[in-house]
Amino acid sequence: MKYTKAQVLAIANKASKNTLMETLDIEVVDYGDNFLISRMPVTPKVHQPDGVLHGGATAALAESVGSFASHIFLDSENLMIRGLEISANHLKSIRSGYVYAKATFLHKGRTTQLLDIRVTDEEDNLISICKLSTISLPKKK
């Protein structure tokens, strides 16, 4: 069955209920043939003590959008997809507004995948660069 963009976004966001993504208010907002974009509000609940976005919250956003991308662009009905490793380089601080994470595949193999995730602010300034590797294995029936 082919889904519309609105249906895919609704399914992805519904899957976030009662998860870390809901706790951090992460929302999937767009996708295309080779990318997925999520956003997260930058509020005190994702700040570190000195009032800027916590790197761990940024990494959680990146892993969430990368994992969602793997689920959307791979055969998640028959494959179990898990994150293997995430790395993040934080380049700029932000205190408020939204950050957007755009995940694109660098490698989409049968078993392992590597995603590039660029985290930007509302003016498209680069906040962090993240890499996520995932593994996809057949689901046990």
Side-chain angles (χ1 to χ4, degrees):
M1 172 181 212
K2 182 115 171 112
Y3 293 102
T4 67
K5 181 184 278 193
Q7 289 171 318
V8 170
L9 297 176
I11 290 167
N13 288 313
K14 184 178 179 187
S16 295
K17 298 296 180 204
N18 299 313
T19 68
L20 179 65
M21 285 76 72
E22 183 177 53
T23 300
L24 298 178
D25 296 320
I26 295 171
E27 174 185 20
V28 180
V29 294
D30 196 13
Y31 87 101
D33 290 338
N34 64 349
F35 71 90
L36 183 75
I37 299 174
S38 289
R39 74 176 182 173
M40 179 178 71
V42 180
T43 64
K45 80 176 180 180
V46 295
H47 283 170
Q48 56 185 345
D50 70 350
V52 298
L53 178 61
H54 193 291
T58 305
L61 170 64
E63 183 149 356
S64 297
V65 72
S67 293
F68 269 131
S70 289
H71 279 276
I72 289 172
F73 294 114
L74 300 172
D75 180 12
S76 62
E77 285 191 30
N78 296 305
L79 297 171
M80 174 189 68
I81 300 160
R82 297 288 184 265
L84 289 175
E85 181 178 14
I86 188 160
S87 66
N89 293 95
H90 307 299
L91 307 170
K92 184 176 179 182
S93 297
I94 183 172
R95 294 182 180 278
S96 62
Y98 280 90
V99 284
Y100 293 83
K102 181 177 183 179
T104 56
F105 282 93
L106 296 172
H107 170 74
K108 196 187 318 181
R110 285 178 290 166
T111 305
T112 60
Q113 299 77 41
L114 179 62
L115 295 107
D116 176 64
I117 301 146
R118 303 288 169 137
V119 180
T120 59
D121 66 13
E122 293 171 291
E123 286 79 42
D124 207 32
N125 296 305
L126 191 59
I127 304 298
S128 297
I129 298 172
C130 305
K131 298 279 189 271
L132 173 67
S133 58
T134 60
I135 188 167
S136 53
L137 300 169
K139 286 184 178 177
K140 295 180 181 171
K141 305 231 177 186

